[in-house]
Amino acid sequence: MANQKSLLQLSPEEFITYLKANNIKRFYFVYDSATKNIFTSHSQLSEIVNFLQNDKRDFDKHEGLFFELDSDYDVIHSAAIHRTNRGQAAGGVRFWQYETIEDFIRDGMRLAKGMTHKNALAGLWWGGGKGVIANNKTLDKNNPEVRKTIYSNFGKFITSLNGCYVTAEDVGTSVTDMANVFSNTRFTTCIPNTLGGSGNPSIPTAQGIVSGIEAALDFLNMGNIEGKTFAVQGLGHVAIPLISFLFEKNAGNIIACDIFNENVEAAKKKFAGYNFDAYKVDNNDLSILYQNCDILSPCATGAILNSDTIPNIKAKIVCGAANNQLADPIKDDKLIFNSGILYVPDFLTNRMGIVNCANEQYGYIENDPNIYQHFDKGWKHSIYQTSMQVFSKSKSKNKPTGEIALELAEKLSLENHPIFGHRGELIIKSLVKNNWELNK
């Protein structure tokens, strides 16, 4: 099968067959900053090395991409580690379906890079990383026992990385799943409250999106949220509290969609009596992006702002919770800027999930000032103030907002941790030196 397709175009299931045929249970791709080359644990995967070496879109000197076959089910665990100057790579674990291995690898890299920038702009002493579990179509991923096994095994995988990556909750992963991860690793946050964690960070994340929306409205002199029309893509963990906050601020009308009918029906029930409507879509239905509205809020998966969708967007503002909304961070950033749409960079406004997780280890305070300062319009590093800074520089320099936010984040992300320095890079080197790939 591998002879008929490139490795990158294999489905996850086909790729697993290839790995098993070559007796590969663990593998990695690591960037050598001295030689500026990428090397892999297995020569059979050199095609992927060439792909990474030549990719200009998503690969960005990622320090390490680590993968492992689940020991019980045909799924692939992965951890993409982008940059660890500021500290351990931190970011949630996504459980998702991918058509090809290229899609799987690209998503991990994009998400990890986004976490580097998000953590830096939020002032956290953490680097950027992301976990991704590639689902197998033949598995019932809603089966509690299946999920328990997969996430428990993911915890073992995280432990094997010696702390260069700290995982958390993300799309497709629940607090219960995080408890199962926690059963086999200490390198995790967002575990249940009953185990000493902060639980689901969706509510503060939604509050952060509201702050970004308010900044955009103020910058455009459009007034406040009251009476505004919203289109929301996705009805998951963040979108539901976001819609609640918007209606609390007297939003005029909200239309939303989701790929899962149960989410649509639950939302309709919750917001009955409000000017709210929702509908089910398939993965290819992007009609929500083209609604007549003031603000478009993407709260599902990434890469939905691209050369096909941007020209058809009618909203004046795009601000949502989804990670990596721009399919091409450079080209699509320019395209949406030139279209006259004010794009609020996702890694600027959806920081609160990781802020919530970062604060777990420092204990809990009611109405925690280290949380609420991010929503305070008067704090210079708040979401509102940072957004206004980005908008102003974008206008004065005639550059896209994503480019301006990225410049700020890049500069911050290269600062080494004040105590531990660039420790993550040392951990990755030790994993390679000690033959991590052979120790499963």
PDB file of all heavy atoms in Angstrom, residues 209 213 229-233 242 255 286-291 293-299 304-305 309 313-321 325 336 341-344:
ATOM      1  N   ILE A 209     -12.655  35.748  24.614  1.00  0.00           N
ATOM      2  CA  ILE A 209     -13.160  36.063  23.276  1.00  0.00           C
ATOM      3  C   ILE A 209     -14.046  37.305  23.333  1.00  0.00           C
ATOM      4  O   ILE A 209     -13.986  38.169  22.451  1.00  0.00           O
ATOM      5  CB  ILE A 209     -13.945  34.871  22.694  1.00  0.00           C
ATOM      6  CG1 ILE A 209     -13.083  33.603  22.677  1.00  0.00           C
ATOM      7  CG2 ILE A 209     -14.436  35.196  21.281  1.00  0.00           C
ATOM      8  CD1 ILE A 209     -11.747  33.755  21.994  1.00  0.00           C
ATOM      9  N   ILE A 213     -13.672  40.795  21.209  1.00  0.00           N
ATOM     10  CA  ILE A 213     -14.782  41.372  20.438  1.00  0.00           C
ATOM     11  C   ILE A 213     -15.019  42.818  20.854  1.00  0.00           C
ATOM     12  O   ILE A 213     -15.190  43.711  20.002  1.00  0.00           O
ATOM     13  CB  ILE A 213     -16.064  40.531  20.643  1.00  0.00           C
ATOM     14  CG1 ILE A 213     -15.909  39.165  19.959  1.00  0.00           C
ATOM     15  CG2 ILE A 213     -17.288  41.265  20.097  1.00  0.00           C
ATOM     16  CD1 ILE A 213     -17.010  38.174  20.298  1.00  0.00           C
ATOM     17  N   THR A 229     -25.265  41.443  15.604  1.00  0.00           N
ATOM     18  CA  THR A 229     -25.583  40.132  15.046  1.00  0.00           C
ATOM     19  C   THR A 229     -24.321  39.293  14.962  1.00  0.00           C
ATOM     20  O   THR A 229     -23.284  39.764  14.476  1.00  0.00           O
ATOM     21  CB  THR A 229     -26.199  40.276  13.640  1.00  0.00           C
ATOM     22  OG1 THR A 229     -27.376  41.079  13.725  1.00  0.00           O
ATOM     23  CG2 THR A 229     -26.559  38.918  13.057  1.00  0.00           C
ATOM     24  N   PHE A 230     -24.413  38.041  15.417  1.00  0.00           N
ATOM     25  CA  PHE A 230     -23.257  37.142  15.471  1.00  0.00           C
ATOM     26  C   PHE A 230     -23.530  35.853  14.702  1.00  0.00           C
ATOM     27  O   PHE A 230     -24.658  35.342  14.703  1.00  0.00           O
ATOM     28  CB  PHE A 230     -22.925  36.763  16.922  1.00  0.00           C
ATOM     29  CG  PHE A 230     -22.416  37.891  17.766  1.00  0.00           C
ATOM     30  CD1 PHE A 230     -23.291  38.810  18.341  1.00  0.00           C
ATOM     31  CD2 PHE A 230     -21.050  38.047  17.989  1.00  0.00           C
ATOM     32  CE1 PHE A 230     -22.820  39.856  19.116  1.00  0.00           C
ATOM     33  CE2 PHE A 230     -20.573  39.091  18.761  1.00  0.00           C
ATOM     34  CZ  PHE A 230     -21.452  39.994  19.327  1.00  0.00           C
ATOM     35  N   ALA A 231     -22.471  35.338  14.089  1.00  0.00           N
ATOM     36  CA  ALA A 231     -22.497  33.991  13.519  1.00  0.00           C
ATOM     37  C   ALA A 231     -21.398  33.199  14.216  1.00  0.00           C
ATOM     38  O   ALA A 231     -20.241  33.641  14.250  1.00  0.00           O
ATOM     39  CB  ALA A 231     -22.253  34.026  12.014  1.00  0.00           C
ATOM     40  N   VAL A 232     -21.759  32.062  14.792  1.00  0.00           N
ATOM     41  CA  VAL A 232     -20.820  31.266  15.583  1.00  0.00           C
ATOM     42  C   VAL A 232     -20.670  29.892  14.946  1.00  0.00           C
ATOM     43  O   VAL A 232     -21.651  29.149  14.810  1.00  0.00           O
ATOM     44  CB  VAL A 232     -21.302  31.116  17.045  1.00  0.00           C
ATOM     45  CG1 VAL A 232     -20.312  30.280  17.846  1.00  0.00           C
ATOM     46  CG2 VAL A 232     -21.493  32.494  17.682  1.00  0.00           C
ATOM     47  N   GLN A 233     -19.452  29.560  14.554  1.00  0.00           N
ATOM     48  CA  GLN A 233     -19.172  28.240  13.991  1.00  0.00           C
ATOM     49  C   GLN A 233     -18.738  27.305  15.112  1.00  0.00           C
ATOM     50  O   GLN A 233     -17.705  27.496  15.729  1.00  0.00           O
ATOM     51  CB  GLN A 233     -18.070  28.320  12.929  1.00  0.00           C
ATOM     52  CG  GLN A 233     -17.808  26.988  12.239  1.00  0.00           C
ATOM     53  CD  GLN A 233     -16.586  27.035  11.336  1.00  0.00           C
ATOM     54  OE1 GLN A 233     -15.586  27.655  11.672  1.00  0.00           O
ATOM     55  NE2 GLN A 233     -16.662  26.379  10.193  1.00  0.00           N
ATOM     56  N   LEU A 242     -19.699  31.273  25.512  1.00  0.00           N
ATOM     57  CA  LEU A 242     -19.533  32.514  24.752  1.00  0.00           C
ATOM     58  C   LEU A 242     -20.898  33.090  24.378  1.00  0.00           C
ATOM     59  O   LEU A 242     -21.153  34.290  24.565  1.00  0.00           O
ATOM     60  CB  LEU A 242     -18.708  32.254  23.488  1.00  0.00           C
ATOM     61  CG  LEU A 242     -18.647  33.413  22.474  1.00  0.00           C
ATOM     62  CD1 LEU A 242     -17.978  34.639  23.091  1.00  0.00           C
ATOM     63  CD2 LEU A 242     -17.915  32.976  21.206  1.00  0.00           C
ATOM     64  N   ILE A 255     -26.754  33.257  15.239  1.00  0.00           N
ATOM     65  CA  ILE A 255     -26.979  32.027  14.493  1.00  0.00           C
ATOM     66  C   ILE A 255     -25.717  31.184  14.607  1.00  0.00           C
ATOM     67  O   ILE A 255     -24.605  31.718  14.592  1.00  0.00           O
ATOM     68  CB  ILE A 255     -27.346  32.301  13.017  1.00  0.00           C
ATOM     69  CG1 ILE A 255     -27.707  30.984  12.317  1.00  0.00           C
ATOM     70  CG2 ILE A 255     -26.214  33.036  12.284  1.00  0.00           C
ATOM     71  CD1 ILE A 255     -28.328  31.185  10.944  1.00  0.00           C
ATOM     72  N   LEU A 286     -19.692  25.308   4.874  1.00  0.00           N
ATOM     73  CA  LEU A 286     -19.106  26.501   5.486  1.00  0.00           C
ATOM     74  C   LEU A 286     -20.045  27.698   5.415  1.00  0.00           C
ATOM     75  O   LEU A 286     -19.609  28.842   5.547  1.00  0.00           O
ATOM     76  CB  LEU A 286     -17.780  26.829   4.806  1.00  0.00           C
ATOM     77  CG  LEU A 286     -16.696  25.747   4.890  1.00  0.00           C
ATOM     78  CD1 LEU A 286     -15.473  26.159   4.083  1.00  0.00           C
ATOM     79  CD2 LEU A 286     -16.315  25.468   6.335  1.00  0.00           C
ATOM     80  N   SER A 287     -21.327  27.446   5.234  1.00  0.00           N
ATOM     81  CA  SER A 287     -22.280  28.531   5.045  1.00  0.00           C
ATOM     82  C   SER A 287     -22.343  29.483   6.227  1.00  0.00           C
ATOM     83  O   SER A 287     -22.674  30.664   6.065  1.00  0.00           O
ATOM     84  CB  SER A 287     -23.677  27.958   4.779  1.00  0.00           C
ATOM     85  OG  SER A 287     -24.091  27.095   5.839  1.00  0.00           O
ATOM     86  N   ILE A 288     -22.006  29.016   7.417  1.00  0.00           N
ATOM     87  CA  ILE A 288     -22.042  29.879   8.603  1.00  0.00           C
ATOM     88  C   ILE A 288     -21.072  31.060   8.460  1.00  0.00           C
ATOM     89  O   ILE A 288     -21.308  32.138   8.981  1.00  0.00           O
ATOM     90  CB  ILE A 288     -21.706  29.067   9.885  1.00  0.00           C
ATOM     91  CG1 ILE A 288     -22.022  29.882  11.148  1.00  0.00           C
ATOM     92  CG2 ILE A 288     -20.247  28.634   9.889  1.00  0.00           C
ATOM     93  CD1 ILE A 288     -23.489  30.089  11.395  1.00  0.00           C
ATOM     94  N   LEU A 289     -19.990  30.844   7.693  1.00  0.00           N
ATOM     95  CA  LEU A 289     -18.992  31.901   7.529  1.00  0.00           C
ATOM     96  C   LEU A 289     -19.509  33.059   6.690  1.00  0.00           C
ATOM     97  O   LEU A 289     -18.960  34.162   6.740  1.00  0.00           O
ATOM     98  CB  LEU A 289     -17.727  31.338   6.875  1.00  0.00           C
ATOM     99  CG  LEU A 289     -17.042  30.147   7.545  1.00  0.00           C
ATOM    100  CD1 LEU A 289     -15.813  29.735   6.748  1.00  0.00           C
ATOM    101  CD2 LEU A 289     -16.674  30.469   8.986  1.00  0.00           C
ATOM    102  N   TYR A 290     -20.562  32.795   5.926  1.00  0.00           N
ATOM    103  CA  TYR A 290     -21.029  33.778   4.947  1.00  0.00           C
ATOM    104  C   TYR A 290     -22.329  34.453   5.368  1.00  0.00           C
ATOM    105  O   TYR A 290     -22.989  35.109   4.566  1.00  0.00           O
ATOM    106  CB  TYR A 290     -21.204  33.103   3.589  1.00  0.00           C
ATOM    107  CG  TYR A 290     -20.039  32.226   3.191  1.00  0.00           C
ATOM    108  CD1 TYR A 290     -20.242  30.959   2.646  1.00  0.00           C
ATOM    109  CD2 TYR A 290     -18.726  32.649   3.390  1.00  0.00           C
ATOM    110  CE1 TYR A 290     -19.165  30.147   2.296  1.00  0.00           C
ATOM    111  CE2 TYR A 290     -17.648  31.842   3.049  1.00  0.00           C
ATOM    112  CZ  TYR A 290     -17.874  30.589   2.511  1.00  0.00           C
ATOM    113  OH  TYR A 290     -16.813  29.785   2.172  1.00  0.00           O
ATOM    114  N   GLN A 291     -22.687  34.319   6.626  1.00  0.00           N
ATOM    115  CA  GLN A 291     -23.915  34.934   7.119  1.00  0.00           C
ATOM    116  C   GLN A 291     -23.792  36.460   7.148  1.00  0.00           C
ATOM    117  O   GLN A 291     -22.712  37.008   7.321  1.00  0.00           O
ATOM    118  CB  GLN A 291     -24.222  34.438   8.538  1.00  0.00           C
ATOM    119  CG  GLN A 291     -24.489  32.952   8.642  1.00  0.00           C
ATOM    120  CD  GLN A 291     -25.801  32.544   8.012  1.00  0.00           C
ATOM    121  OE1 GLN A 291     -26.766  33.297   8.022  1.00  0.00           O
ATOM    122  NE2 GLN A 291     -25.833  31.339   7.435  1.00  0.00           N
ATOM    123  N   CYS A 293     -23.778  39.318   9.134  1.00  0.00           N
ATOM    124  CA  CYS A 293     -23.614  39.541  10.570  1.00  0.00           C
ATOM    125  C   CYS A 293     -22.561  40.621  10.811  1.00  0.00           C
ATOM    126  O   CYS A 293     -21.797  40.975   9.913  1.00  0.00           O
ATOM    127  CB  CYS A 293     -23.207  38.240  11.275  1.00  0.00           C
ATOM    128  SG  CYS A 293     -21.641  37.549  10.690  1.00  0.00           S
ATOM    129  N   ASP A 294     -22.521  41.100  12.038  1.00  0.00           N
ATOM    130  CA  ASP A 294     -21.497  42.069  12.427  1.00  0.00           C
ATOM    131  C   ASP A 294     -20.200  41.364  12.792  1.00  0.00           C
ATOM    132  O   ASP A 294     -19.113  41.817  12.430  1.00  0.00           O
ATOM    133  CB  ASP A 294     -21.976  42.895  13.620  1.00  0.00           C
ATOM    134  CG  ASP A 294     -23.203  43.724  13.300  1.00  0.00           C
ATOM    135  OD1 ASP A 294     -23.122  44.548  12.377  1.00  0.00           O
ATOM    136  OD2 ASP A 294     -24.236  43.528  13.972  1.00  0.00           O
ATOM    137  N   ILE A 295     -20.327  40.272  13.548  1.00  0.00           N
ATOM    138  CA  ILE A 295     -19.149  39.555  14.050  1.00  0.00           C
ATOM    139  C   ILE A 295     -19.272  38.077  13.722  1.00  0.00           C
ATOM    140  O   ILE A 295     -20.291  37.440  14.020  1.00  0.00           O
ATOM    141  CB  ILE A 295     -18.986  39.722  15.585  1.00  0.00           C
ATOM    142  CG1 ILE A 295     -18.764  41.196  15.951  1.00  0.00           C
ATOM    143  CG2 ILE A 295     -17.816  38.877  16.098  1.00  0.00           C
ATOM    144  CD1 ILE A 295     -20.006  41.894  16.431  1.00  0.00           C
ATOM    145  N   LEU A 296     -18.229  37.521  13.124  1.00  0.00           N
ATOM    146  CA  LEU A 296     -18.115  36.083  12.881  1.00  0.00           C
ATOM    147  C   LEU A 296     -17.189  35.510  13.934  1.00  0.00           C
ATOM    148  O   LEU A 296     -16.077  36.009  14.134  1.00  0.00           O
ATOM    149  CB  LEU A 296     -17.552  35.820  11.483  1.00  0.00           C
ATOM    150  CG  LEU A 296     -17.132  34.374  11.173  1.00  0.00           C
ATOM    151  CD1 LEU A 296     -18.327  33.440  11.207  1.00  0.00           C
ATOM    152  CD2 LEU A 296     -16.436  34.311   9.804  1.00  0.00           C
ATOM    153  N   SER A 297     -17.631  34.444  14.601  1.00  0.00           N
ATOM    154  CA  SER A 297     -16.831  33.846  15.668  1.00  0.00           C
ATOM    155  C   SER A 297     -16.576  32.368  15.381  1.00  0.00           C
ATOM    156  O   SER A 297     -17.400  31.509  15.695  1.00  0.00           O
ATOM    157  CB  SER A 297     -17.550  34.013  17.010  1.00  0.00           C
ATOM    158  OG  SER A 297     -16.718  33.608  18.069  1.00  0.00           O
ATOM    159  N   PRO A 298     -15.416  32.051  14.789  1.00  0.00           N
ATOM    160  CA  PRO A 298     -15.069  30.640  14.529  1.00  0.00           C
ATOM    161  C   PRO A 298     -14.672  29.952  15.839  1.00  0.00           C
ATOM    162  O   PRO A 298     -13.696  30.342  16.477  1.00  0.00           O
ATOM    163  CB  PRO A 298     -13.870  30.735  13.585  1.00  0.00           C
ATOM    164  CG  PRO A 298     -13.857  32.150  13.083  1.00  0.00           C
ATOM    165  CD  PRO A 298     -14.423  32.962  14.206  1.00  0.00           C
ATOM    166  N   CYS A 299     -15.435  28.944  16.223  1.00  0.00           N
ATOM    167  CA  CYS A 299     -15.181  28.237  17.480  1.00  0.00           C
ATOM    168  C   CYS A 299     -15.144  26.728  17.262  1.00  0.00           C
ATOM    169  O   CYS A 299     -15.506  25.949  18.160  1.00  0.00           O
ATOM    170  CB  CYS A 299     -16.245  28.583  18.512  1.00  0.00           C
ATOM    171  SG  CYS A 299     -16.244  30.308  19.039  1.00  0.00           S
ATOM    172  N   ILE A 304      -9.922  27.682   8.621  1.00  0.00           N
ATOM    173  CA  ILE A 304     -11.166  27.962   7.898  1.00  0.00           C
ATOM    174  C   ILE A 304     -11.155  29.357   7.258  1.00  0.00           C
ATOM    175  O   ILE A 304     -12.057  29.683   6.484  1.00  0.00           O
ATOM    176  CB  ILE A 304     -12.402  27.785   8.808  1.00  0.00           C
ATOM    177  CG1 ILE A 304     -12.243  28.500  10.147  1.00  0.00           C
ATOM    178  CG2 ILE A 304     -12.667  26.308   9.061  1.00  0.00           C
ATOM    179  CD1 ILE A 304     -12.557  29.919  10.152  1.00  0.00           C
ATOM    180  N   LEU A 305     -10.155  30.162   7.560  1.00  0.00           N
ATOM    181  CA  LEU A 305      -9.998  31.455   6.898  1.00  0.00           C
ATOM    182  C   LEU A 305      -8.940  31.297   5.822  1.00  0.00           C
ATOM    183  O   LEU A 305      -7.752  31.193   6.104  1.00  0.00           O
ATOM    184  CB  LEU A 305      -9.585  32.529   7.914  1.00  0.00           C
ATOM    185  CG  LEU A 305     -10.554  32.770   9.076  1.00  0.00           C
ATOM    186  CD1 LEU A 305      -9.988  33.815  10.039  1.00  0.00           C
ATOM    187  CD2 LEU A 305     -11.927  33.204   8.559  1.00  0.00           C
ATOM    188  N   THR A 309     -12.670  31.114   1.403  1.00  0.00           N
ATOM    189  CA  THR A 309     -13.718  31.598   2.303  1.00  0.00           C
ATOM    190  C   THR A 309     -13.686  33.105   2.541  1.00  0.00           C
ATOM    191  O   THR A 309     -14.737  33.748   2.627  1.00  0.00           O
ATOM    192  CB  THR A 309     -13.628  30.874   3.665  1.00  0.00           C
ATOM    193  OG1 THR A 309     -12.356  31.153   4.274  1.00  0.00           O
ATOM    194  CG2 THR A 309     -13.788  29.369   3.482  1.00  0.00           C
ATOM    195  N   ILE A 313     -16.859  36.380   3.142  1.00  0.00           N
ATOM    196  CA  ILE A 313     -17.242  36.742   4.502  1.00  0.00           C
ATOM    197  C   ILE A 313     -17.818  38.156   4.514  1.00  0.00           C
ATOM    198  O   ILE A 313     -17.217  39.087   3.993  1.00  0.00           O
ATOM    199  CB  ILE A 313     -16.036  36.647   5.453  1.00  0.00           C
ATOM    200  CG1 ILE A 313     -15.601  35.179   5.606  1.00  0.00           C
ATOM    201  CG2 ILE A 313     -16.377  37.236   6.823  1.00  0.00           C
ATOM    202  CD1 ILE A 313     -14.331  34.991   6.411  1.00  0.00           C
ATOM    203  N   LYS A 314     -19.003  38.289   5.125  1.00  0.00           N
ATOM    204  CA  LYS A 314     -19.688  39.591   5.166  1.00  0.00           C
ATOM    205  C   LYS A 314     -19.487  40.313   6.491  1.00  0.00           C
ATOM    206  O   LYS A 314     -19.825  41.497   6.615  1.00  0.00           O
ATOM    207  CB  LYS A 314     -21.171  39.388   4.896  1.00  0.00           C
ATOM    208  CG  LYS A 314     -21.474  38.761   3.534  1.00  0.00           C
ATOM    209  CD  LYS A 314     -22.963  38.573   3.343  1.00  0.00           C
ATOM    210  CE  LYS A 314     -23.284  37.968   1.980  1.00  0.00           C
ATOM    211  NZ  LYS A 314     -22.811  36.568   1.865  1.00  0.00           N
ATOM    212  N   ALA A 315     -18.986  39.627   7.490  1.00  0.00           N
ATOM    213  CA  ALA A 315     -18.803  40.222   8.811  1.00  0.00           C
ATOM    214  C   ALA A 315     -17.743  41.315   8.770  1.00  0.00           C
ATOM    215  O   ALA A 315     -16.800  41.256   7.977  1.00  0.00           O
ATOM    216  CB  ALA A 315     -18.405  39.153   9.821  1.00  0.00           C
ATOM    217  N   LYS A 316     -17.876  42.293   9.658  1.00  0.00           N
ATOM    218  CA  LYS A 316     -16.878  43.359   9.779  1.00  0.00           C
ATOM    219  C   LYS A 316     -15.724  42.938  10.694  1.00  0.00           C
ATOM    220  O   LYS A 316     -14.614  43.460  10.588  1.00  0.00           O
ATOM    221  CB  LYS A 316     -17.532  44.629  10.338  1.00  0.00           C
ATOM    222  CG  LYS A 316     -18.680  45.173   9.495  1.00  0.00           C
ATOM    223  CD  LYS A 316     -19.324  46.369  10.162  1.00  0.00           C
ATOM    224  CE  LYS A 316     -20.506  46.892   9.355  1.00  0.00           C
ATOM    225  NZ  LYS A 316     -21.634  45.912   9.338  1.00  0.00           N
ATOM    226  N   ILE A 317     -16.013  41.999  11.599  1.00  0.00           N
ATOM    227  CA  ILE A 317     -15.039  41.535  12.593  1.00  0.00           C
ATOM    228  C   ILE A 317     -15.033  40.014  12.624  1.00  0.00           C
ATOM    229  O   ILE A 317     -16.100  39.384  12.575  1.00  0.00           O
ATOM    230  CB  ILE A 317     -15.399  42.068  13.997  1.00  0.00           C
ATOM    231  CG1 ILE A 317     -15.317  43.599  14.045  1.00  0.00           C
ATOM    232  CG2 ILE A 317     -14.504  41.447  15.080  1.00  0.00           C
ATOM    233  CD1 ILE A 317     -15.975  44.203  15.276  1.00  0.00           C
ATOM    234  N   VAL A 318     -13.844  39.416  12.712  1.00  0.00           N
ATOM    235  CA  VAL A 318     -13.709  37.975  12.933  1.00  0.00           C
ATOM    236  C   VAL A 318     -12.954  37.785  14.237  1.00  0.00           C
ATOM    237  O   VAL A 318     -11.801  38.214  14.369  1.00  0.00           O
ATOM    238  CB  VAL A 318     -12.961  37.274  11.782  1.00  0.00           C
ATOM    239  CG1 VAL A 318     -12.719  35.806  12.125  1.00  0.00           C
ATOM    240  CG2 VAL A 318     -13.751  37.386  10.482  1.00  0.00           C
ATOM    241  N   CYS A 319     -13.607  37.152  15.206  1.00  0.00           N
ATOM    242  CA  CYS A 319     -12.987  36.922  16.511  1.00  0.00           C
ATOM    243  C   CYS A 319     -13.610  35.680  17.130  1.00  0.00           C
ATOM    244  O   CYS A 319     -14.799  35.673  17.457  1.00  0.00           O
ATOM    245  CB  CYS A 319     -13.196  38.128  17.424  1.00  0.00           C
ATOM    246  SG  CYS A 319     -12.444  37.936  19.069  1.00  0.00           S
ATOM    247  N   GLY A 320     -12.816  34.627  17.255  1.00  0.00           N
ATOM    248  CA  GLY A 320     -13.351  33.377  17.781  1.00  0.00           C
ATOM    249  C   GLY A 320     -12.338  32.587  18.572  1.00  0.00           C
ATOM    250  O   GLY A 320     -11.180  32.986  18.720  1.00  0.00           O
ATOM    251  N   ALA A 321     -12.780  31.433  19.065  1.00  0.00           N
ATOM    252  CA  ALA A 321     -11.965  30.612  19.949  1.00  0.00           C
ATOM    253  C   ALA A 321     -11.135  29.564  19.233  1.00  0.00           C
ATOM    254  O   ALA A 321     -10.203  29.005  19.819  1.00  0.00           O
ATOM    255  CB  ALA A 321     -12.864  29.917  20.974  1.00  0.00           C
ATOM    256  N   GLN A 325      -6.846  29.798  12.917  1.00  0.00           N
ATOM    257  CA  GLN A 325      -7.959  30.030  11.994  1.00  0.00           C
ATOM    258  C   GLN A 325      -7.496  30.313  10.572  1.00  0.00           C
ATOM    259  O   GLN A 325      -8.187  29.988   9.604  1.00  0.00           O
ATOM    260  CB  GLN A 325      -8.809  31.188  12.515  1.00  0.00           C
ATOM    261  CG  GLN A 325      -9.525  30.858  13.821  1.00  0.00           C
ATOM    262  CD  GLN A 325     -10.116  32.075  14.497  1.00  0.00           C
ATOM    263  OE1 GLN A 325     -10.455  33.063  13.839  1.00  0.00           O
ATOM    264  NE2 GLN A 325     -10.237  32.024  15.812  1.00  0.00           N
ATOM    265  N   ILE A 336      -7.252  38.779   4.389  1.00  0.00           N
ATOM    266  CA  ILE A 336      -8.355  39.261   5.218  1.00  0.00           C
ATOM    267  C   ILE A 336      -8.149  40.737   5.578  1.00  0.00           C
ATOM    268  O   ILE A 336      -9.106  41.502   5.685  1.00  0.00           O
ATOM    269  CB  ILE A 336      -8.510  38.374   6.482  1.00  0.00           C
ATOM    270  CG1 ILE A 336      -9.903  38.581   7.092  1.00  0.00           C
ATOM    271  CG2 ILE A 336      -7.411  38.638   7.513  1.00  0.00           C
ATOM    272  CD1 ILE A 336     -10.276  37.535   8.123  1.00  0.00           C
ATOM    273  N   ILE A 341     -11.675  43.468   6.618  1.00  0.00           N
ATOM    274  CA  ILE A 341     -12.238  42.793   7.790  1.00  0.00           C
ATOM    275  C   ILE A 341     -11.225  42.894   8.929  1.00  0.00           C
ATOM    276  O   ILE A 341     -10.035  42.641   8.728  1.00  0.00           O
ATOM    277  CB  ILE A 341     -12.524  41.308   7.475  1.00  0.00           C
ATOM    278  CG1 ILE A 341     -13.537  41.183   6.338  1.00  0.00           C
ATOM    279  CG2 ILE A 341     -13.010  40.570   8.718  1.00  0.00           C
ATOM    280  CD1 ILE A 341     -13.647  39.782   5.767  1.00  0.00           C
ATOM    281  N   LEU A 342     -11.687  43.254  10.116  1.00  0.00           N
ATOM    282  CA  LEU A 342     -10.799  43.328  11.266  1.00  0.00           C
ATOM    283  C   LEU A 342     -10.693  41.929  11.884  1.00  0.00           C
ATOM    284  O   LEU A 342     -11.633  41.453  12.528  1.00  0.00           O
ATOM    285  CB  LEU A 342     -11.302  44.332  12.297  1.00  0.00           C
ATOM    286  CG  LEU A 342     -10.412  44.524  13.539  1.00  0.00           C
ATOM    287  CD1 LEU A 342      -8.998  44.937  13.149  1.00  0.00           C
ATOM    288  CD2 LEU A 342     -11.021  45.546  14.484  1.00  0.00           C
ATOM    289  N   TYR A 343      -9.563  41.288  11.681  1.00  0.00           N
ATOM    290  CA  TYR A 343      -9.316  39.954  12.223  1.00  0.00           C
ATOM    291  C   TYR A 343      -8.604  40.083  13.565  1.00  0.00           C
ATOM    292  O   TYR A 343      -7.546  40.711  13.661  1.00  0.00           O
ATOM    293  CB  TYR A 343      -8.461  39.144  11.242  1.00  0.00           C
ATOM    294  CG  TYR A 343      -7.877  37.886  11.819  1.00  0.00           C
ATOM    295  CD1 TYR A 343      -8.703  36.873  12.304  1.00  0.00           C
ATOM    296  CD2 TYR A 343      -6.498  37.700  11.879  1.00  0.00           C
ATOM    297  CE1 TYR A 343      -8.158  35.719  12.848  1.00  0.00           C
ATOM    298  CE2 TYR A 343      -5.952  36.543  12.410  1.00  0.00           C
ATOM    299  CZ  TYR A 343      -6.783  35.560  12.888  1.00  0.00           C
ATOM    300  OH  TYR A 343      -6.247  34.412  13.431  1.00  0.00           O
ATOM    301  N   VAL A 344      -9.188  39.504  14.600  1.00  0.00           N
ATOM    302  CA  VAL A 344      -8.577  39.493  15.926  1.00  0.00           C
ATOM    303  C   VAL A 344      -7.813  38.182  16.046  1.00  0.00           C
ATOM    304  O   VAL A 344      -8.427  37.116  16.089  1.00  0.00           O
ATOM    305  CB  VAL A 344      -9.635  39.594  17.038  1.00  0.00           C
ATOM    306  CG1 VAL A 344      -8.962  39.780  18.386  1.00  0.00           C
ATOM    307  CG2 VAL A 344     -10.606  40.737  16.754  1.00  0.00           C
TER     308      VAL A 344
END
